Amino acid sequence: MLRRLTVELEAVGRRFAGMHGLNRTDVRALVAIMDAARAGRPMTAGALGAAVELSSASVTALVDRLERVGHVERVRDTHDRRRVVLSLTPAAMDAGGEFFGGLQRDLVDAMSGYADEELAVVHRFLAEMTEVIVRHQGTD
């Protein structure tokens, strides 16, 4: 069931990417930047490279491409003006909200049928499965 969920989520991501002229790495980068913003962590180009497993030169090309299509902007860090951080543009947030908003509402509605204790177990399961997958990626 987890594999099926993963396949279906991947298909949703591919549809979004296709509609916006993005590739898989572009979408991974946008998600990484969004996740960092939600966690209150500034996303630098170096951190983005680590998140999507790209070299410095490839990250520069990636950010340039996302900036050109209007999804990302480089901004000065408010705490350290020497540092540049990456931010999603309002247009990128609108595109994501328009595409994923209905899915998010339906997922929240589906979760409403579960008790908090059940959701806690599901959360723990997904977190642990994600940790295993991340660890596995580091072993070749």
Side-chain angles (χ1 to χ4, degrees), residues 14-77:
R14 277 195 313 272
R15 283 193 303 276
F16 177 78
M19 288 175 63
H20 295 279
L22 303 171
N23 64 43
R24 183 182 212 163
T25 302
D26 296 340
V27 173
R28 286 182 65 204
L30 293 173
V31 169
I33 295 167
M34 181 178 58
D35 287 348
R38 285 184 175 163
R41 292 186 326 268
M43 177 61 80
T44 63
L48 181 61
V52 297
E53 300 173 338
L54 288 177
S55 68
S56 179
S58 295
V59 169
T60 299
L62 167 68
V63 173
D64 287 347
R65 185 171 58 251
L66 291 174
E67 192 172 41
R68 241 186 339 272
V69 297
H71 290 301
V72 169
E73 56 190 1
R74 292 172 168 102
V75 296
R76 292 276 168 206
D77 187 327

